[in-house]
């Protein structure tokens, strides 16, 4: 038996490794499905139409689909949900196949290669027709634009439309702050730091942070938004020629994180803490602050009720309008769809007051900033702090958007900062190295 | 004990000789055809899900391909890129260190447990086997998540340390810059030791009891018996355990992915994790394939080395 087992084991494991990378097959089609610019129309057929939609984030996808079907009873949208990890690894394959879904949730990282290959419909015609430019917050559309090669973002064609916005901020534990004598929500970055100090003096933990996954990069990103000029950051994330992250602002943001580590507000143990564990730690009342997005609002509200509050990390100076990272659950149309007009009508629906209500109910910020959405409690808190950000068009994308693989460098680099083993210079130059290898 | 490398050719030669000697080729052919018919489902399965993807990966490793757009020929470019990447060296060094924890210590632990369980302790043997083999049956993802909790700042491991008065050294072990890889390694030790033990126990049970009796008559104590009778008796099993666990160490992915994801600050990255990142985070299928091929070559090299060492010591 031994030699057989032996040989089988070797080949089985060897093969498993092959399969790891080999589960993809080189496609031979040259991919260019996009035909000549077609005529666009906002007239929707009254015949029965069935569209297929592939998505990963629910909410809001399913509720939005139902809302749209109520308005257009002749349209049926069949949905297929895939969990996030599998979605980003499979969506490029399914969108470039002969059997592509008509509409797909947009993912900038995964779908980068679909744009140059022509598998995603360029929406300029519809944008003009429906007047999307004035209807959506410009920053939310900007993130969904790219040049033909998908090298530079924030410019060029529009490839998706947002169906609900998310925003990065800081949750706080009201009773813990009262205990520490902090009466007001911080209005400057320095006040935030002082609030953490006050909490630390009471013997409680100021901040819960998940450094194992994306928690640390969210915090760093929020601080960077707070200290730096937004334009430099935007240029870098969008891949504008010659831009760099090795700026004074980025260095200052990194130093601030290092100081918070030094002061004990952030523990080295954060590096082994997952985002879910960090959130659970915060909602269990073990820390006063936790930086993450409104996607966690439902969980926080359920666990903490009125004890929890939310603010967008303020700027360095009092009175400055905060800048916050945010993204959207956005939808793209396949260039192979037979019903582009109907699909575009679904995208236009995202901006309607009805959709705004669905978006806020499902925990997102509405894309229609003028929609009157009354909420209270934590969701109201989030909506209130988000409003000035959106109105001033101060939503910026997340830093991992800058280049493929950037998320791994960001995570590892910040783990080094939290461990006190990586210098600010090394961290920023490692990010720039990834950026340069992609953007040239 | 015969060496495994010498055991296998003998029966094959014998059967071939018998076939030729009798000169009755037709029945044999029919028998062979029948055998192939039985094998066919397995062959088809193996060829389409193992051999074809493997060959395909080899082909992909010579391409520049993002998974969607038309690929272009890269020649050896991807391999050159791998050799020039310092991150790769670190990940290979990490994987080599993991061999100590996934392979060397478990083999020693397995031998130790075999020594303890071999002699008088017949009662309760099934219980020990089940408990110690359990890590092998659990999915590594569940193992990883559980150990992440055990290792965290307020986890069971630190609680235990405080209980025995070592509260001063507690920390989030998987988040510690210097100790994360070792902490990760011990999870592997826990997972692999039971497997080694089970292999060695089954091997040891085949040893002729007369050998132990003879050793006892010669005045050999328990340790001497273990060294001179049990260990040589399970030589084959030790080789197998060494090969399996070394492959597990070099190809480790799931455990690392779940517990540290290569962190903190790349202190626990392993080659398989980089393959995954290249393919799915960076959309660089060509380089990912080249790295997978390199890793396979490394594994084959190590397995050959282990088998050769085992043969020399025979």
């Amino acid at each position: 038996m031994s030699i057989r087992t032996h040989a089988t084991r070797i080949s089985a494991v060897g093969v498993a490794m092959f399969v790891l990378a080999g589960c993809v097959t080189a496609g031979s089609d040259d991919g260019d499905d996009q035909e000549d610019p077609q005529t666009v129309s906002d007239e929707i057929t009254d015949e029965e139409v069935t569209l297929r939609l592939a998505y990963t984030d629910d909410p809001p996808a399913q509720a939005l689909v139902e809302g749209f079907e109520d308005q257009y009873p002749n349209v049926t949208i069949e949905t297929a949900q895939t969990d996030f990890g599998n979605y980003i690894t499979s969506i490029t394959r399914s969108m470039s196949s002969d059997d592509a879904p008509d509409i797909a949730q947009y993912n900038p990282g995964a779908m980068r290669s679909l744009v140059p290959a022509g598998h995603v419909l360029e929406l300029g015609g519809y944008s003009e027709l429906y007047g999307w430019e004035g209807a959506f917050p410009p920053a939310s559309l900007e993130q969904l634009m790219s040049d033909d090669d998908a090298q530079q973002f924030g410019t060029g064609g529009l490839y998706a439309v947002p169906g609900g916005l998310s925003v990065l901020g800081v949750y706080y534990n009201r009773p813990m702050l009262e205990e520490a004598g902090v009466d007001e929500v911080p209005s400057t970055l320095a006040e935030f730091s002082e609030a953490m100090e006050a909490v630390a003096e009471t013997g409680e933990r100021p901040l819960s942070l998940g450094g194992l996954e994306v928690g640390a990069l969210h915090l760093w990103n929020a601080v960077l938004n707070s200290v730096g000029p937004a334009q430099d950051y935007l240029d870098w994330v969008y891949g504008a020629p010659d831009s760099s992250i090795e700026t004074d602002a980025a260095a200052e943001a990194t130093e601030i994180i290092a100081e918070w580590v030094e002061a004990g507000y952030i523990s080295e143990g954060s590096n082994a803490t997952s985002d879910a564990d960090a959130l659970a730690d915060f909602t269990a009342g073990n820390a006063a602050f936790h930086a993450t997005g409104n996607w966690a609002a439902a969980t926080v509200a359920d666990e903490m009720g009125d004890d929890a509050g939310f603010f967008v990390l303020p700027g360095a100076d009092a009175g400055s309008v905060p800048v916050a990272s945010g993204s959207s659950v956005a939808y793209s149309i396949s260039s192979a769809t037979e019903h582009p007009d109907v699909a575009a009508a679904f995208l236009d629906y995202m901006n309607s007051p009805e959709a705004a209500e669905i978006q806020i109910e499902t925990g997102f910020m509405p894309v229609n900033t003028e929609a009157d959405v009354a909420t209270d409690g934590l969701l109201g808190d989030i909506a209130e702090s988000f409003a000035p950000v959106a109105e001033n068009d101060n939503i910026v994308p997340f830093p991992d958007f800058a280049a493929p693989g950037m998320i791994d460098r960001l995570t590892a680099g910040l783990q080094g900062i939290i461990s006190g083993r990586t210098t600010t210079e090394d961290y920023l130059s490692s990010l720039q190295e990834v950026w340069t290898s992609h953007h040239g | 004990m015969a060496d495994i490398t010498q055991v296998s050719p003998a029966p094959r030669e014998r059967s071939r000789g018998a076939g030729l000697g009798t000169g009755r080729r037709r029945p044999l052919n029919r028998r062979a055809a029948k055998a192939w018919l039985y094998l066919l489902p397995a062959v088809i399965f193996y060829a389409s899900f193992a051999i074809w993807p493997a060959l395909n990966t080899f082909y992909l490793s010579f391409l520049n391909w993002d998974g969607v757009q038309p690929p272009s020929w890269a020649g050896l470019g991807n391999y050159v890129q791998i050799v020039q990447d310092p991150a790769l060296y670190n990940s290979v060094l990490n994987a080599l260190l993991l061999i100590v924890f996934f392979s060397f210590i478990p083999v020693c632990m397995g031998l130790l447990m075999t020594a303890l369980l071999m002699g008088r302790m017949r009662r309760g043997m099934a219980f020990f086997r089940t408990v110690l083999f359990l890590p092998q049956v659990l999915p590594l993802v569940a193992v990883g998540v559980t150990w992440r909790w055990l290792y965290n700042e307020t986890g069971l491991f630190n609680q235990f340390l405080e209980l025995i008065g070592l509260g001063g050294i507690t920390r989030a072990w998987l988040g510690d810059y210097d100790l994360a890889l070792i902490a990760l390694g011990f999870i592997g030790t826990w997972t692999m030791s039971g497997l080694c033990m089970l292999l060695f126990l089954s091997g040891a049970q085949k040893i002729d009891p007369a050998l132990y009796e003879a050793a006892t008559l010669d005045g050999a104590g328990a340790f001497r018996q273990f060294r001179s009778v049990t260990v040589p008796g399970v030589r084959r099993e030790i080789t197998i355990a060494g090969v399996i666990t070394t492959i597990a160490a070099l190809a480790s992915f799931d455990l690392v992915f779940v517990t540290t994801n290569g962190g903190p600050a790349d202190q626990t990255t392993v080659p398989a994790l980089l393959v995954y990142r290249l393919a799915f985070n960076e959309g660089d299928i060509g380089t990912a394939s080249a790295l997978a091929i390199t890793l396979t070559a490394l594994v084959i090299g190590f397995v050959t080395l282990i088998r050769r060492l085992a043969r020399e010591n025979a």
Side-chain angles (χ1 to χ4, degrees), chain B residues 156-167 169-170 173:
Chain B
L156 215 60
F157 189 60
N158 284 329
Q159 287 175 26
F160 172 74
L161 287 178
E162 289 198 7
L163 200 72
I164 59 170
L166 288 173
I169 63 162
T170 59
W173 295 90

Side-chain angles (χ1 to χ4, degrees), chain A residues 285-360:
Chain A
N286 295 330
F289 296 105
H290 179 60
T292 187
N294 59 324
W295 52 85
T299 313
V300 176
D302 281 352
E303 299 283 328
M304 300 175 68
D306 289 340
D307 283 352
F310 180 91
F311 60 90
V312 171
L313 199 66
D317 306 313
S320 58
V321 182
V323 176
S325 277
S327 64
S328 55
V329 175
Y331 301 98
S332 293
I333 302 176
S334 162
S335 50
T337 182
E338 284 172 20
H339 306 284
D341 292 338
V342 183
F346 176 72
L347 267 48
D348 184 58
Y349 170 75
M350 300 301 136
N351 172 48
S352 66
E354 297 81 17
E357 209 164 291
I358 292 171
Q359 287 154 6
I360 195 110

Side-chain angles (χ1 to χ4, degrees), chain A residues 2 13 25 93 408-409 415 421, chain B residues 65 67 178 247 265-266 281:
Chain A
S2 61
V13 176
T25 318
R93 303 303 298 156
D408 295 324
R409 277 302 97 219
Q415 286 172 347
R421 302 300 182 101
Chain B
W65 192 43
D178 296 312
I247 293 172
D266 290 331
N281 290 4

Side-chain angles (χ1 to χ4, degrees), chain A residues 84-414:
Chain A
F84 182 75
N86 286 316
Y87 188 79
I88 57 167
T89 52
S90 67
I91 190 61
T92 45
R93 303 303 298 156
S94 74
M95 284 294 277
S96 57
S97 74
D98 294 337
D99 192 33
D102 301 277
I103 303 169
Q105 185 177 332
Y106 181 72
N107 182 282
M111 293 166 84
R112 205 183 282 268
S113 51
L114 292 171
V115 168
H119 294 300
V120 182
L121 202 64
E122 201 281 306
L123 301 169
Y126 289 109
S127 178
E128 218 163 282
L129 183 70
Y130 282 111
W132 284 342
E133 224 161 275
F136 290 84
S140 73
L141 289 182
E142 220 174 65
Q143 296 190 12
L144 306 170
M145 295 164 83
S146 94
D147 60 2
D148 295 346
D149 301 330
Q151 281 287 325
Q152 194 175 337
F153 295 85
T155 174
L158 179 69
Y159 290 95
V161 155
L165 303 175
S166 49
V167 62
L168 180 62
V170 182
Y171 292 87
Y172 62 91
N173 182 319
R174 220 180 290 270
M176 280 177 86
L177 289 191
E178 278 165 17
E179 180 89 359
V182 181
D183 305 323
E184 280 182 23
V185 170
S187 63
T188 63
L189 186 63
E191 277 183 35
F192 176 58
S193 199
E194 284 157 19
M196 286 202 287
E197 190 183 353
V199 172
E201 277 165 10
T202 64
E204 296 282 352
R205 196 138 57 84
L207 190 75
S208 89
L209 181 79
L212 180 64
E213 292 163 278
V214 295
L217 88 86
H218 281 153
L219 184 69
W220 177 76
N221 184 201
V223 175
L224 177 56
N225 288 336
S226 170
V227 299
Q231 195 56 48
D232 287 358
Y233 172 77
L234 267 181
D235 284 348
W236 183 73
V237 176
Y238 283 153
D242 301 324
S243 45
S244 171
I245 196 66
E246 295 174 271
T247 60
D248 292 344
E252 189 186 342
T254 312
E255 291 301 331
I256 288 173
I257 301 284
E259 280 163 25
W260 289 347
V261 173
E262 189 87 0
Y265 308 158
I266 298 170
S267 79
E268 198 184 338
S270 307
N271 278 342
T273 309
S274 70
D275 293 331
D277 289 346
L279 180 66
D281 214 31
F282 169 74
T283 57
N286 295 330
F289 296 105
H290 179 60
T292 187
N294 59 324
W295 52 85
T299 313
V300 176
D302 281 352
E303 299 283 328
M304 300 175 68
D306 289 340
D307 283 352
F310 180 91
F311 60 90
V312 171
L313 199 66
D317 306 313
S320 58
V321 182
V323 176
S325 277
S327 64
S328 55
V329 175
Y331 301 98
S332 293
I333 302 176
S334 162
S335 50
T337 182
E338 284 172 20
H339 306 284
D341 292 338
V342 183
F346 176 72
L347 267 48
D348 184 58
Y349 170 75
M350 300 301 136
N351 172 48
S352 66
E354 297 81 17
E357 209 164 291
I358 292 171
Q359 287 154 6
I360 195 110
E361 267 170 25
T362 50
F364 289 85
M365 294 294 106
V367 282
N368 183 335
T369 47
E370 282 157 24
D372 187 23
V373 276
T375 46
D376 47 13
L378 185 62
L379 279 178
D381 222 10
I382 296 172
E384 203 176 298
S385 44
F386 177 67
V389 178
E391 279 157 20
N392 289 284
D393 213 26
N394 276 352
I395 314 167
V396 295
F398 292 105
D400 55 304
F401 198 62
M406 186 63 82
I407 194 158
D408 295 324
R409 277 302 97 219
L410 282 160
T411 311
L414 285 165

Side-chain angles (χ1 to χ4, degrees), chain A residues 15-104:
Chain A
V15 158
M17 290 185 317
F18 277 124
V19 173
L20 190 65
C23 54
V24 280
T25 318
S28 54
D29 65 312
D30 44 10
D32 214 336
D33 287 344
Q34 201 157 27
E35 287 161 19
D36 297 332
Q38 58 213 331
T39 51
V40 296
S41 167
D42 57 0
E43 299 281 320
I44 294 183
T45 171
D46 42 20
E47 285 167 27
E48 292 288 322
V49 172
T50 302
L51 297 178
R52 288 182 304 131
L53 179 140
Y55 70 104
T56 181
D57 283 329
D58 191 40
Q62 196 60 48
L64 289 170
V65 164
E66 281 160 22
F68 181 74
E69 284 176 337
D70 284 347
Q71 289 206 349
Y72 298 94
N74 63 315
V75 179
T76 309
I77 299 184
E78 289 173 1
T79 56
Q81 186 183 15
T82 313
D83 70 273
F84 182 75
N86 286 316
Y87 188 79
I88 57 167
T89 52
S90 67
I91 190 61
T92 45
R93 303 303 298 156
S94 74
M95 284 294 277
S96 57
S97 74
D98 294 337
D99 192 33
D102 301 277
I103 303 169

Side-chain angles (χ1 to χ4, degrees), chain B residues 52-227:
Chain B
W52 164 242
L55 293 174
N56 201 25
T57 304
F58 189 64
Y59 166 66
L60 289 176
S61 73
F62 297 105
L63 301 179
N64 285 317
W65 192 43
D66 66 359
V68 176
Q69 295 180 74
S72 64
W73 188 251
L76 288 171
N78 292 328
Y79 289 92
V80 172
Q81 197 184 325
I82 286 172
V83 175
Q84 290 172 344
D85 187 356
L88 179 80
Y89 294 122
N90 285 330
S91 71
V92 170
L93 289 180
N94 289 343
L96 294 181
L97 185 70
L98 285 183
I99 292 179
V100 175
F101 292 95
F102 279 59
S103 185
F104 182 73
I105 303 179
V107 166
C108 296
M109 293 282 286
L111 283 174
L112 182 71
M113 288 189 277
T114 305
L116 294 175
L117 292 176
M118 260 309 282
R120 292 122 227 121
M121 271 201 57
R122 295 284 173 185
R123 198 179 295 176
M125 187 92 131
F127 171 77
F128 279 107
R129 281 186 177 195
T130 312
V131 167
L132 294 168
F133 193 66
L134 203 63
Q136 275 296 312
V137 187
L138 296 170
L140 275 183
V141 172
V143 167
V145 171
T146 312
W147 275 86
R148 217 173 64 202
W149 290 334
L150 291 177
Y151 269 143
N152 82 20
E153 271 170 315
T154 52
L156 215 60
F157 189 60
N158 284 329
Q159 287 175 26
F160 172 74
L161 287 178
E162 289 198 7
L163 200 72
I164 59 170
L166 288 173
I169 63 162
T170 59
R171 68 199 67 204
W173 295 90
L174 291 170
D176 188 281
Y177 191 86
D178 296 312
L179 300 173
L181 187 62
I182 294 172
L184 181 70
F186 276 118
I187 308 178
T189 305
W190 179 79
T191 314
M192 295 297 168
S193 295
L195 172 78
C196 293
M197 180 207 67
L198 204 76
L199 275 171
F200 301 159
L201 273 178
S202 70
Q205 276 167 355
K206 286 184 291 192
I207 298 173
D208 189 348
L211 285 174
Y212 287 103
E213 281 166 28
T216 315
L217 288 177
D218 286 344
F223 178 71
R224 188 64 211 242
Q225 283 189 22
F226 176 71
R227 216 188 66 181

